Amino acid sequence: MKVILLQDVKSLGKKGDIVEVSEGYARNMLLKKGLGKEATGQNMNDLKLQKANAEKIAREILEAAQALAKEMEGKSIRVAVKTGEGGRVFGSVSSKEIAEEIKKQLGYDVDKKKIQIDNPIRALGVTNVAIKLHAKVTAEIAVKVVEL
């Protein structure tokens, strides 16, 4: 019997997969527990439409991330920090501070977890910081650290 999986089932398949199982397993396990539904013509069409819709949404999200990356590319922000003798920065510039300044100065709402800082920013000057907008899209922005 062919069954469309509604959830991931260990050792059988992932959500949306069409699998061939014995009739007893399908009726007593998969259908009874709501883990799958019978692969009828109507259910197959529904699955095809759901997959097409999911692909369309994923494509739109990717295009939006690419457009935002193009807008952000080449822009810079200023972060003012306290300094001591000789221009040494107290502490370092955090991703939270960078996210706040991006929102204030450029108007983009960026999650601090998406800002990727390789080494802590502990000196005055310009540092390029990567912002991961999507799994496939990364934008780069210049952070100018200036004395307060």
Side-chain angles (χ1 to χ4, degrees):
M1 171 180 233
K2 287 192 176 195
V3 176
I4 300 170
L5 296 178
L6 300 175
Q7 297 177 16
D8 291 354
V9 179
K10 192 174 181 179
S11 75
L12 193 58
K14 297 200 177 283
K15 179 181 178 180
D17 288 350
I18 300 170
V19 293
E20 182 75 36
V21 294
S22 68
E23 215 167 301
Y25 183 67
R27 292 200 194 289
N28 296 323
M29 174 67 177
L30 298 177
L31 300 177
K32 196 174 196 179
K33 291 188 175 184
L35 299 174
K37 60 184 174 183
E38 194 172 346
T40 61
Q42 177 67 34
N43 290 341
M44 297 284 276
N45 286 337
D46 290 347
L47 176 66
K48 195 181 294 183
L49 290 173
Q50 287 173 355
K51 283 186 177 181
N53 188 33
E55 287 176 12
K56 179 183 174 197
I57 290 170
R59 189 171 44 253
E60 288 174 355
I61 291 171
L62 176 63
E63 289 171 359
Q66 289 171 337
L68 182 60
K70 277 187 179 179
E71 280 183 43
M72 291 178 88
E73 208 64 44
K75 293 196 176 180
S76 64
I77 60 168
R78 290 176 46 135
V79 179
V81 294
K82 290 184 180 180
T83 57
E85 285 183 30
R88 291 199 31 94
V89 175
F90 291 126
S92 63
V93 178
S94 69
S95 58
K96 181 180 177 184
E97 292 171 316
I98 293 172
E100 288 171 358
E101 292 300 323
I102 289 173
K103 180 144 178 115
K104 276 187 210 170
Q105 296 175 21
L106 303 178
Y108 301 122
D109 194 17
V110 177
D111 186 15
K112 68 178 183 178
K113 295 174 189 159
K114 295 184 180 202
I115 297 173
Q116 299 174 328
I117 303 173
D118 296 331
N119 299 319
I121 302 172
R122 293 189 175 138
L124 299 176
V126 179
T127 306
N128 287 330
V129 175
I131 302 171
K132 192 159 184 129
L133 299 171
H134 186 272
K136 298 177 183 175
V137 180
T138 304
E140 201 166 276
I141 197 164
V143 177
K144 293 178 185 174
V145 181
V146 295
E147 199 170 341
L148 188 62

